[in-house]
Amino acid sequence: MPNPTTTSPHQIAQATNTLEQVKRYLRANPPLADALPLLAPLLDEDTGVPILLGDILREAARLVSQQAGHPADDEVRQIVDGLREAAQEATDWHVLHWDVQRLSGRFPQSAEEASTR
């Protein structure tokens, strides 16, 4: 099995910077029809941020658990349990995907989208 490509801290910083840009854009009160296409991939039920974050936290818990040594001390066990709990909570937010779909059906498309059709 080939090794996955290593992600650099710089790449992670770029991704979080992009999320910060989305946050700033939404704070500027754009038309909802323009904002919904940004929210759709962020909250996608299969590949959105909640699912990815949950998977990342579960993998981090697995990694810590495997490499912390056995038996793991109480502090390490608490950290692993916290990562696993946070993973489940993040993954539970995938249901927002349906809310974005319902909103998209209720609000007209943006003028830019209408001109490209």
Side-chain angles (χ1 to χ4, degrees):
M1 178 196 293
N3 287 335
T5 305
T6 302
T7 304
S8 72
H10 176 72
Q11 289 171 306
I12 299 299
Q14 287 177 314
T16 57
N17 183 49
T18 299
L19 292 173
E20 174 70 21
Q21 289 173 14
V22 172
K23 179 189 80 174
R24 285 194 308 265
Y25 175 72
L26 294 175
R27 283 189 178 165
N29 296 320
L32 187 55
D34 292 345
L36 288 174
L38 298 176
L39 295 176
L42 286 174
L43 297 173
D44 183 86
E45 66 182 327
D46 296 318
T47 59
V49 171
I51 298 300
L52 292 174
L53 182 57
D55 289 347
I56 289 166
L57 293 171
R58 269 187 282 284
E59 290 304 319
R62 180 192 57 76
L63 188 64
V64 170
S65 182
Q66 285 180 347
Q67 295 185 20
H70 295 288
D73 63 31
D74 287 341
E75 184 176 23
V76 171
R77 278 194 302 273
Q78 286 177 343
I79 291 168
V80 168
D81 289 345
L83 288 167
R84 288 179 178 148
E85 288 174 26
Q88 185 58 53
E89 289 176 23
T91 302
D92 287 346
W93 287 102
H94 83 281
V95 298
L96 293 172
H97 163 82
W98 300 110
D99 294 332
V100 171
Q101 282 193 343
R102 288 197 314 267
L103 284 172
S104 294
R106 295 187 61 151
F107 289 88
Q109 61 190 9
S110 71
E112 186 176 299
E113 286 177 335
S115 68
T116 61
R117 290 184 184 210

